[in-house]
Amino acid sequence: MVEICQQRCEYHARPLAVDVSAPRFEWQLASDQRDVRQNWYRIVVATDAAALTADTADLWDSGEVTSADTTQVAYAGSPLPPTTRCCWQVHAGLADGTQVASPVATFETAPVPNAWAAAAWITRRRPMDATDDHRPAPYVRRRFTVTRPARRARLYATAGGIYQAWLNGAPVAATRFAPGWTDYDKRVQFHGYDLDARLAIGDNTVGAVLTDGWFSGYVGPFDTREVWGKQPCFRALIVVEYIDGSRDVLGTDESWEAAFGPILAADLQRGESYDARRDLGDWSAAGVAGSRRWQPAVAVDGPAGVLVAAPGPLAEPVGELAPRARTEPMPGSQIVDFGANIAGHVRLRLAGPAGTIVRIRHGERLDADGCLYTENLRGARATDTVVLAGGPARVWEPTFTYHGFRYAEITGHPGPLADDDVTAVAVSAAVTGAGSFSCDHELVNRVHANINTSLRANFIEVPTDCPQRDERLGWTGDAQAFAPTALRNADLAAFYTKWLTDIDDTREPAAPLPDMAPCKILPWAVAGSPGYADAGTIVPWELYQAYGDRRVLRTAYPGMTSHVDFMHRHNPDLIVRNDRNNDYGDWLAPVDTPKDLVATAYFARSARLTADTARVLGGETEHARYAELADQVAAAFVAEYVGDDGALAADTQCAYVLALAFGLVPAERAPALARQLARVVTRDGRVTTGFMAVGHLLPTLTATGRHDLALQLMLAEEYPSWGYMVRAGATSIWERWDSWTAERGLQDPWMNSFNHVALGAVGDWFYRCLAGIQPLEPGYRRVQVAPAPPGSLRAVDATYQSIRGAVRSSWQVTADSYYLQVSLPANTTGTVRLPAVGDVYEDERPVTASAGVRDVRVDGSSTVVQVGSGSYRFTVRNAAVATSGA
Ligand code: BGC
């Protein structure tokens, strides 16, 4: 049986505000059969689901399109009407002659820009004497009446700052930190919310709570705040569509009411202060009566940027942790250990007399006395405060802040707190489509788990460097290093699409790409550095490989050429000696590599990716121009740095790894460099790369025939290594190899995060090499499953959730047999390369007799077969298992 599932539009299952004119559709074919192929598809889009079945689609009927495409299929019907619910269905014809139809899915178009004229930016002005601890959060609301049955009601909302929208007594969504973080001078995102379930005929109340967030709160280091505005404001449209097709539109204006309530201050870095005695009661309940605390809202100038429908996901609660241990290092101060270093907040059940102040401080570690260690948070106060109102126990959690923490210190609570009074809530935007990986070596599994913990903690609006200290910025170097690993473990198509727009908003014309995005906080970082700026070529290319997304390439291409042309203009002899801006080199490497070498390698890489992108976009002349430049930079690199024996002027892992991974040396010279890399790794006996090369180290060793050395580095437990972190009790990936060492203790608190993603860039190798899953074509239409030789591992089981469905590679090795289970999604084909030769069976039959398996051949110490979609169980008996090799 074949079914169509996982229908999405612009990477969302049911988007409520789409403002691109040709939204893209995707679907998956699910089947337990082998060799399922789609010969054609037909997409129909209509404003009414009934029109789809009646074959009278009013928006688009693609007709039968001969194609195996199931992703990135762009709408090409009549212009989409705004604020409209569009129903869509896909029909597919399969190679065996059968046809399938999908369920009806929906997407909704956003209001057109002009529609926002009906909504003003509103707020309640803060008192002039607002201080850090008293920057009260405005509440705004509008009471309104619905007189007849509605068939659809939507809220479109945005803010300067962060808002949480409410309708009739409850928040309209569980998501956090809307409208998200952009350069608000350029672009402000809005979201659509479905009000259908809670809108009443009769009295209704819609409202929002507004806090500073990135807009007017603390952002980045150096006590920087009010980067985009002075105080939060809100703008919204409520569109009610009645059964007869007529509509009412209610926009924010001075007929809304505004009040200050219990939130005394809320800041992403400082924390939230809540005085329950100032509670506004059921302030957004339907039919709530007016009161003197509410005054007319005032219209203000909001952020200057254009309003756009948010393409990416908001953060949301993704998991809860119960206390693992509790201690009381000082009377009245409880320390709770949640067992993992997350981003999020603590939820408490509290009881006590009115006026009691309960304080929750957060930290990643404890000091030698068992007290909370917060020095490495720098200016981030990370403290939530609740003033109790008396009365029965009440559950409280902050809504407008997050902290990076494993431990919380709770002071001021009058009585003991039970374990179930205290919960840590992890918050992240990296929610869906997680890959999975496990093997028979616990250390590797722990590293994988720690990578995912840091991934979740650092994917909140932008790929951040860290979630705890006064930084939390979209550093491009960290992001490019980690992107391949992140994309293996989570579905980040929408997330990165949004962040690439942030890069594009940040960059200046005829300049290098930036060191971070958004960047208004640190203007000197707009002109980026080697390996950082290159995120603007690398991340779009990684997205293209993962999802086959050409649109991100098209958006990124002008930035790519601007960056590469700048590097070329300023470095005419092609060795990057000039204008390296804030050059960080191979950041935080235990062994330094000359910065010009690293910079030149990344210049060559970006030139190559720009050439490759030009080819995908159909610009052959541009392709030729940048390909020639890439060749020339590579040649200059060789002439400048590579000796006759393949030894590099800089005898470091980073230097060899970048030269090999970026293909900078001619094929005939690569083996000599690979031997030198093996020599250096053997000499060092440990990892000595920093952010710029760490993700390439193990894959390069594996690809050049030294998988044994790659495994050796992975399984090492001496400093510096991933194993060392694990042995030291890490539950996440540290910023530095020496964030803590047995000899020196904690690093300088000025720069010592225990939750940084970059050194976790090794996680791609788990999927790419240990499990051997790789796309042979962008978007995984053709897949390779080629596990590396087992070496000292006995088993690996990994599943990658590709945009076409799950790809699984699960192998085991025994004394005389090698087993490999492979699953490929319907409508894909694959090359399976088993690192063993012998008597090969599939599902207990000789492999040559197996349906769906073709072209069985032996290639050196591997058995190679071609397969169609479906699941296969290969066994090699009397196996000669490969010991090394690619
Ligand atoms: C960040 C890094 C970043 C760096 C640039 C740090 O403060 O945390 O991860 O790459 O600045 O040097």
Side-chain angles (χ1 to χ4, degrees), residues 475-481 483 499-500 503 511-516 525-542 556 559-560 562-568 576 579-581 583-585 595 597-610 613 633 658 662 692 696:
W475 283 99
T476 43
D478 309 45
Q480 68 84 0
W499 185 62
L500 290 172
I503 293 186
L513 288 158
D515 269 348
M516 68 177 64
V526 168
S529 318
Y532 280 64
D534 303 279
T537 61
I538 294 168
V539 177
W541 189 253
E542 291 292 336
M560 294 183 179
S562 160
H563 173 68
V564 170
D565 292 347
F566 175 93
M567 299 304 287
H568 191 188
V576 181
D579 291 286
R580 298 200 303 253
N581 301 314
D583 201 355
Y584 306 101
K595 290 182 174 179
L597 184 151
V598 176
T600 305
Y602 269 95
F603 177 30
R605 175 81 178 137
S606 274
R608 180 69 63 204
L609 294 181
T610 305
T613 300
V633 182
L658 294 186
F662 295 170
M692 290 302 114
H696 299 289

Coordinates of all heavy atoms in Angstrom, one line a residue, residues 475-481 483 499-500 503 511-516 525-542 556 559-560 562-568 576 579-581 583-585 595 597-610 613 633 658 662 692 696:
W475 N 26.2 34.2 15.9 CA 27.6 34.2 15.3 C 27.7 33.3 14.1 O 27.3 32.1 14.2 CB 28.6 33.8 16.4 CG 28.9 34.8 17.4 CD1 28.4 34.9 18.6 CD2 29.9 35.9 17.2 NE1 29.0 36.0 19.3 CE2 29.9 36.6 18.4 CE3 30.7 36.3 16.2 CZ2 30.7 37.7 18.6 CZ3 31.6 37.3 16.4 CH2 31.5 38.1 17.6
T476 N 28.1 33.8 13.0 CA 28.1 33.0 11.8 C 29.1 31.9 11.8 O 28.9 30.8 11.1 CB 28.3 33.9 10.6 OG1 29.4 34.9 10.9 CG2 27.0 34.7 10.2
G477 N 30.3 32.1 12.4 CA 31.3 31.0 12.4 C 30.8 29.8 13.1 O 30.9 28.7 12.6
D478 N 30.3 30.0 14.3 CA 29.7 28.8 15.0 C 28.6 28.1 14.2 O 28.6 26.9 14.1 CB 29.1 29.3 16.3 CG 30.0 30.2 17.2 OD1 30.7 31.1 16.6 OD2 30.1 30.0 18.4
A479 N 27.8 29.0 13.6 CA 26.7 28.4 12.8 C 27.1 27.6 11.6 O 26.6 26.5 11.4 CB 25.7 29.6 12.4
Q480 N 28.1 28.1 10.9 CA 28.5 27.3 9.7 C 29.1 26.0 10.1 O 28.9 25.0 9.5 CB 29.3 28.1 8.7 CG 30.7 28.5 9.1 CD 31.8 27.5 8.9 OE1 31.5 26.4 8.4 NE2 33.0 27.8 9.3
A481 N 29.9 26.1 11.2 CA 30.6 24.9 11.6 C 29.6 23.8 12.0 O 29.8 22.6 11.7 CB 31.5 25.2 12.8
A483 N 26.2 23.7 11.2 CA 25.0 23.4 10.4 C 24.9 22.0 9.8 O 23.8 21.4 9.9 CB 25.0 24.4 9.2
W499 N 16.9 32.6 9.1 CA 18.2 33.2 9.5 C 19.0 33.7 8.3 O 19.7 34.7 8.4 CB 18.9 32.2 10.4 CG 20.2 32.8 10.9 CD1 20.2 33.9 11.8 CD2 21.5 32.4 10.7 NE1 21.6 34.1 12.1 CE2 22.4 33.3 11.4 CE3 22.1 31.4 9.9 CZ2 23.8 33.2 11.4 CZ3 23.5 31.3 9.9 CH2 24.3 32.2 10.6
L500 N 18.9 33.0 7.2 CA 19.6 33.5 6.0 C 19.1 34.8 5.6 O 19.8 35.7 5.0 CB 19.5 32.4 4.9 CG 20.3 31.2 5.1 CD1 20.0 30.1 4.1 CD2 21.8 31.4 5.2
I503 N 20.9 37.3 7.6 CA 22.2 37.6 7.1 C 22.1 38.6 5.9 O 22.8 39.5 5.8 CB 22.9 36.3 6.6 CG1 23.2 35.4 7.8 CG2 24.2 36.6 5.8 CD1 24.0 34.1 7.4
A511 N 30.5 44.3 0.1 CA 31.2 44.1 1.3 C 31.2 42.6 1.6 O 30.5 41.8 1.1 CB 30.5 44.8 2.4
P512 N 32.1 42.2 2.6 CA 32.0 40.8 3.0 C 30.7 40.5 3.8 O 30.1 41.4 4.3 CB 33.2 40.6 3.9 CG 33.6 42.0 4.3 CD 33.1 42.9 3.3
L513 N 30.4 39.3 3.9 CA 29.2 38.9 4.7 C 29.5 39.1 6.2 O 30.7 39.2 6.5 CB 28.8 37.4 4.4 CG 28.2 37.3 3.0 CD1 28.3 35.9 2.4 CD2 26.7 37.7 3.0
P514 N 28.5 39.1 7.0 CA 28.8 39.5 8.4 C 29.3 38.4 9.4 O 29.2 37.2 9.0 CB 27.4 40.0 8.9 CG 26.5 39.2 8.1 CD 27.1 39.0 6.7
D515 N 29.8 38.8 10.5 CA 30.2 37.9 11.6 C 29.0 37.4 12.4 O 29.1 36.4 13.2 CB 31.1 38.6 12.6 CG 32.6 38.5 12.2 OD1 32.9 37.6 11.3 OD2 33.4 39.2 12.7
M516 N 27.9 38.1 12.3 CA 26.7 37.7 13.0 C 25.5 38.3 12.4 O 25.6 39.3 11.7 CB 26.8 38.1 14.5 CG 26.7 39.6 14.7 SD 26.7 40.0 16.5 CE 28.3 39.5 17.0
A525 N 31.0 44.1 13.6 CA 31.0 42.8 13.1 C 30.2 42.6 11.7 O 30.0 41.5 11.2 CB 30.4 41.8 14.1
V526 N 29.7 43.8 11.2 CA 29.0 43.7 9.9 C 29.9 43.2 8.8 O 29.5 42.4 7.9 CB 28.4 45.1 9.6 CG1 27.9 45.1 8.2 CG2 27.2 45.3 10.5
A527 N 31.2 43.7 8.9 CA 32.2 43.2 7.9 C 32.8 41.9 8.5 O 33.5 42.0 9.5 CB 33.2 44.2 7.6
G528 N 32.5 40.8 8.0 CA 32.8 39.5 8.7 C 34.2 39.0 8.5 O 35.0 39.6 7.7
S529 N 34.5 38.0 9.1 CA 35.9 37.4 9.2 C 35.9 36.1 8.5 O 34.9 35.4 8.3 CB 36.3 37.2 10.6 OG 35.9 38.3 11.4
P530 N 37.1 35.6 8.1 CA 37.3 34.3 7.5 C 36.6 33.2 8.3 O 36.8 33.1 9.5 CB 38.8 34.1 7.4 CG 39.3 35.5 7.3 CD 38.4 36.3 8.2
G531 N 35.9 32.4 7.6 CA 35.2 31.2 8.2 C 33.9 31.6 8.9 O 33.1 30.7 9.3
Y532 N 33.8 32.9 9.2 CA 32.5 33.4 9.8 C 31.6 33.8 8.7 O 30.5 33.3 8.4 CB 32.8 34.5 10.8 CG 33.2 33.9 12.2 CD1 34.4 33.2 12.3 CD2 32.4 34.1 13.3 CE1 34.8 32.7 13.5 CE2 32.8 33.6 14.5 CZ 34.0 32.9 14.6 OH 34.4 32.4 15.8
A533 N 32.1 34.9 8.0 CA 31.4 35.4 6.8 C 30.9 34.3 5.9 O 29.9 34.4 5.3 CB 32.2 36.4 6.1
D534 N 31.8 33.3 5.8 CA 31.5 32.2 4.8 C 30.3 31.4 5.1 O 29.8 30.6 4.3 CB 32.7 31.3 4.7 CG 34.0 32.1 4.3 OD1 34.1 32.4 3.1 OD2 34.7 32.5 5.2
A535 N 29.7 31.6 6.3 CA 28.4 31.0 6.6 C 27.4 31.3 5.5 O 26.5 30.5 5.2 CB 27.8 31.5 7.9
G536 N 27.5 32.5 4.9 CA 26.6 32.9 3.9 C 26.7 32.2 2.6 O 25.8 32.2 1.7
T537 N 27.8 31.4 2.4 CA 27.9 30.5 1.2 C 27.6 29.1 1.7 O 27.0 28.3 1.0 CB 29.2 30.6 0.5 OG1 30.3 30.2 1.5 CG2 29.6 31.9 0.0
I538 N 28.1 28.7 2.9 CA 28.1 27.3 3.3 C 26.7 26.9 3.8 O 26.2 25.8 3.4 CB 29.1 27.1 4.5 CG1 30.6 27.3 3.9 CG2 29.0 25.8 5.1 CD1 31.6 27.5 5.0
V539 N 26.0 27.7 4.6 CA 24.7 27.3 5.1 C 23.7 27.1 4.0 O 23.0 26.1 3.9 CB 24.3 28.2 6.3 CG1 22.9 27.8 6.8 CG2 25.3 28.2 7.4
P540 N 23.6 28.1 3.0 CA 22.6 27.9 2.0 C 23.0 26.6 1.2 O 22.0 25.8 0.8 CB 22.8 29.1 1.0 CG 23.5 30.1 1.9 CD 24.2 29.4 3.0
W541 N 24.2 26.3 1.0 CA 24.6 25.1 0.2 C 24.2 23.9 1.0 O 23.7 22.9 0.4 CB 26.1 25.1 -0.1 CG 26.5 24.0 -1.0 CD1 27.2 22.9 -0.8 CD2 26.1 24.0 -2.4 NE1 27.3 22.1 -1.9 CE2 26.7 22.8 -2.9 CE3 25.5 24.8 -3.3 CZ2 26.5 22.4 -4.3 CZ3 25.3 24.4 -4.7 CH2 25.8 23.2 -5.1
E542 N 24.4 23.9 2.3 CA 24.0 22.7 3.1 C 22.5 22.5 3.1 O 22.0 21.4 3.0 CB 24.4 22.9 4.6 CG 25.9 22.8 4.8 CD 26.5 21.4 4.6 OE1 25.8 20.5 4.6 OE2 27.7 21.4 4.2
A556 N 20.4 33.8 -1.4 CA 21.8 34.0 -0.8 C 22.8 34.4 -1.9 O 23.8 35.0 -1.6 CB 22.2 32.7 -0.2
G559 N 24.6 37.9 -2.0 CA 25.5 38.0 -0.8 C 26.8 37.2 -1.1 O 27.9 37.6 -0.7
M560 N 26.6 36.0 -1.7 CA 27.8 35.2 -2.0 C 28.8 35.9 -2.9 O 30.0 36.0 -2.6 CB 27.4 33.9 -2.7 CG 26.6 32.9 -1.9 SD 26.2 31.5 -2.9 CE 25.3 30.5 -1.7
S562 N 28.9 39.1 -3.6 CA 29.4 40.4 -3.0 C 30.6 40.0 -2.1 O 31.7 40.7 -2.1 CB 28.3 41.0 -2.2 OG 28.8 41.9 -1.2
H563 N 30.5 39.0 -1.3 CA 31.5 38.5 -0.4 C 32.8 38.1 -1.1 O 33.9 38.5 -0.8 CB 31.0 37.4 0.5 CG 32.0 36.8 1.4 ND1 32.6 37.4 2.4 CD2 32.6 35.5 1.4 CE1 33.5 36.7 3.0 NE2 33.5 35.5 2.4
V564 N 32.6 37.2 -2.1 CA 33.7 36.6 -2.8 C 34.4 37.7 -3.6 O 35.7 37.8 -3.6 CB 33.3 35.4 -3.7 CG1 34.4 34.9 -4.6 CG2 32.8 34.3 -2.8
D565 N 33.7 38.5 -4.2 CA 34.3 39.6 -5.0 C 35.1 40.6 -4.1 O 36.2 41.0 -4.5 CB 33.2 40.5 -5.7 CG 32.5 39.7 -6.8 OD1 33.1 38.6 -7.2 OD2 31.5 40.1 -7.3
F566 N 34.6 40.8 -2.9 CA 35.3 41.7 -2.0 C 36.6 41.0 -1.6 O 37.7 41.7 -1.6 CB 34.4 41.9 -0.7 CG 35.2 42.7 0.4 CD1 35.0 44.1 0.4 CD2 36.0 42.0 1.3 CE1 35.7 44.8 1.4 CE2 36.7 42.8 2.3 CZ 36.6 44.1 2.3
M567 N 36.6 39.8 -1.3 CA 37.8 39.1 -0.9 C 38.8 39.1 -2.0 O 40.0 39.3 -1.8 CB 37.5 37.6 -0.5 CG 36.6 37.4 0.6 SD 37.1 38.2 2.2 CE 38.4 37.2 2.6
H568 N 38.3 39.0 -3.2 CA 39.2 39.0 -4.4 C 39.8 40.4 -4.6 O 41.0 40.5 -4.8 CB 38.4 38.5 -5.6 CG 39.2 38.3 -6.8 ND1 38.7 38.0 -8.0 CD2 40.6 38.2 -7.0 CE1 39.7 37.8 -8.9 NE2 40.8 37.9 -8.3
V576 N 44.8 35.3 1.3 CA 44.1 36.3 2.0 C 44.9 36.9 3.2 O 45.0 36.4 4.3 CB 42.8 35.7 2.6 CG1 41.9 36.8 3.3 CG2 41.9 35.1 1.4
D579 N 42.3 42.7 4.9 CA 40.9 42.8 5.2 C 40.2 41.6 5.8 O 39.2 41.1 5.3 CB 40.1 43.3 4.0 CG 40.5 44.8 3.7 OD1 40.1 45.7 4.5 OD2 41.3 45.0 2.8
R580 N 40.9 41.0 6.8 CA 40.3 39.8 7.4 C 39.5 40.2 8.6 O 39.1 39.4 9.4 CB 41.5 38.9 7.8 CG 42.3 38.4 6.7 CD 43.0 37.1 7.0 NE 43.9 37.3 8.1 CZ 45.2 37.4 8.1 NH1 45.8 37.2 6.9 NH2 45.9 37.5 9.2
N581 N 39.3 41.5 8.7 CA 38.4 42.1 9.7 C 38.8 41.6 11.1 O 39.9 41.7 11.5 CB 36.9 41.9 9.3 CG 36.7 42.5 8.0 OD1 37.1 43.7 7.8 ND2 36.1 41.8 7.1
D583 N 39.3 38.8 12.3 CA 39.9 37.4 12.1 C 40.1 36.6 13.4 O 40.9 36.9 14.2 CB 41.2 37.5 11.4 CG 41.6 36.2 10.8 OD1 40.8 35.2 11.0 OD2 42.6 36.2 10.0
Y584 N 39.3 35.6 13.5 CA 39.4 34.7 14.7 C 40.2 33.5 14.5 O 40.4 32.7 15.4 CB 37.9 34.3 15.1 CG 37.0 35.5 15.3 CD1 36.1 35.8 14.3 CD2 37.1 36.3 16.5 CE1 35.2 36.9 14.5 CE2 36.2 37.3 16.6 CZ 35.3 37.7 15.6 OH 34.5 38.7 15.8
G585 N 40.7 33.3 13.2 CA 41.5 32.1 12.9 C 40.7 30.8 13.3 O 39.5 30.8 13.2
K595 N 46.6 32.4 10.4 CA 45.3 32.9 10.0 C 45.2 33.1 8.5 O 44.1 32.9 8.0 CB 45.0 34.2 10.8 CG 44.8 33.9 12.2 CD 44.4 35.2 13.0 CE 44.1 34.9 14.4 NZ 43.7 36.1 15.1
L597 N 46.4 31.2 6.2 CA 46.1 29.9 5.6 C 44.6 29.5 5.8 O 44.0 29.2 4.8 CB 47.0 28.9 6.2 CG 46.9 27.4 5.6 CD1 48.3 26.7 5.8 CD2 45.8 26.6 6.3
V598 N 44.1 29.7 7.0 CA 42.7 29.4 7.2 C 41.8 30.3 6.3 O 40.9 29.8 5.7 CB 42.4 29.6 8.7 CG1 40.9 29.4 9.0 CG2 43.2 28.7 9.6
A599 N 42.2 31.6 6.3 CA 41.4 32.5 5.5 C 41.4 32.2 4.0 O 40.4 32.2 3.3 CB 41.9 33.9 5.7
T600 N 42.6 31.8 3.5 CA 42.7 31.5 2.1 C 41.9 30.2 1.8 O 41.2 30.1 0.7 CB 44.2 31.3 1.7 OG1 44.8 32.5 2.0 CG2 44.3 31.1 0.2
A601 N 41.9 29.2 2.7 CA 41.2 28.0 2.5 C 39.7 28.3 2.4 O 38.9 27.8 1.5 CB 41.4 27.0 3.6
Y602 N 39.2 29.2 3.3 CA 37.8 29.5 3.3 C 37.4 30.4 2.1 O 36.3 30.3 1.5 CB 37.4 30.2 4.6 CG 36.9 29.1 5.6 CD1 37.7 28.6 6.6 CD2 35.6 28.7 5.6 CE1 37.3 27.6 7.5 CE2 35.1 27.7 6.4 CZ 36.0 27.2 7.4 OH 35.5 26.2 8.3
F603 N 38.3 31.2 1.6 CA 38.1 32.0 0.4 C 37.9 31.0 -0.8 O 36.9 31.1 -1.5 CB 39.3 32.9 0.2 CG 39.2 33.7 -1.1 CD1 38.0 34.2 -1.6 CD2 40.4 34.1 -1.7 CE1 38.0 34.9 -2.8 CE2 40.4 34.9 -2.9 CZ 39.1 35.3 -3.4
A604 N 38.7 30.0 -0.9 CA 38.6 29.1 -2.0 C 37.3 28.3 -1.8 O 36.6 28.1 -2.8 CB 39.8 28.1 -1.9
R605 N 36.9 28.0 -0.6 CA 35.7 27.2 -0.4 C 34.4 28.1 -0.8 O 33.6 27.6 -1.5 CB 35.6 26.9 1.1 CG 34.3 26.2 1.5 CD 34.3 24.8 1.2 NE 33.1 24.1 1.7 CZ 32.5 23.2 0.9 NH1 33.0 22.8 -0.3 NH2 31.4 22.6 1.4
S606 N 34.5 29.3 -0.4 CA 33.3 30.2 -0.8 C 33.3 30.5 -2.3 O 32.2 30.5 -2.9 CB 33.4 31.5 0.0 OG 32.8 31.4 1.2
A607 N 34.4 30.6 -2.9 CA 34.4 30.8 -4.4 C 33.9 29.6 -5.1 O 33.0 29.7 -6.0 CB 35.9 31.1 -4.9
R608 N 34.2 28.4 -4.6 CA 33.7 27.1 -5.2 C 32.2 27.0 -5.0 O 31.5 26.7 -5.9 CB 34.4 25.9 -4.5 CG 34.0 24.6 -5.0 CD 34.5 24.3 -6.5 NE 35.9 24.3 -6.5 CZ 36.6 24.6 -7.7 NH1 36.0 24.9 -8.8 NH2 37.9 24.6 -7.7
L609 N 31.7 27.3 -3.8 CA 30.3 27.2 -3.5 C 29.5 28.3 -4.3 O 28.4 28.0 -4.8 CB 30.0 27.3 -2.0 CG 30.5 26.2 -1.2 CD1 30.2 26.4 0.3 CD2 30.0 24.8 -1.7
T610 N 30.1 29.4 -4.5 CA 29.5 30.4 -5.3 C 29.4 30.0 -6.8 O 28.3 30.1 -7.4 CB 30.2 31.8 -5.3 OG1 30.4 32.1 -3.9 CG2 29.5 32.9 -6.0
T613 N 26.7 27.3 -6.9 CA 25.4 27.9 -6.8 C 25.0 28.5 -8.1 O 23.9 28.3 -8.6 CB 25.4 28.9 -5.7 OG1 25.7 28.3 -4.4 CG2 24.0 29.6 -5.5
V633 N 42.4 30.2 -6.6 CA 42.7 30.4 -5.2 C 43.4 29.1 -4.7 O 44.3 29.1 -3.9 CB 41.5 30.7 -4.4 CG1 41.9 30.9 -2.9 CG2 40.9 32.0 -4.9
L658 N 41.6 21.3 6.3 CA 40.9 22.3 5.4 C 41.4 22.1 3.9 O 40.6 22.1 3.0 CB 41.2 23.7 5.8 CG 40.6 24.1 7.2 CD1 40.8 25.6 7.4 CD2 39.1 23.8 7.3
F662 N 38.3 20.8 1.6 CA 37.8 21.8 0.6 C 38.4 21.5 -0.8 O 38.2 22.3 -1.7 CB 38.2 23.2 1.1 CG 37.6 23.7 2.3 CD1 38.0 24.9 3.0 CD2 36.5 23.0 2.9 CE1 37.4 25.3 4.1 CE2 35.9 23.4 4.1 CZ 36.4 24.6 4.7
M692 N 37.0 26.1 13.2 CA 37.0 26.2 11.7 C 37.2 24.8 11.1 O 36.9 24.7 9.9 CB 38.0 27.2 11.3 CG 37.7 28.6 11.6 SD 36.1 29.1 10.8 CE 35.1 29.4 12.3
H696 N 35.3 19.0 10.1 CA 35.9 18.3 8.9 C 36.9 17.3 9.3 O 37.3 16.5 8.5 CB 36.5 19.3 8.0 CG 35.5 20.4 7.5 ND1 34.6 20.1 6.6 CD2 35.4 21.7 7.8 CE1 33.8 21.1 6.3 NE2 34.3 22.1 7.1

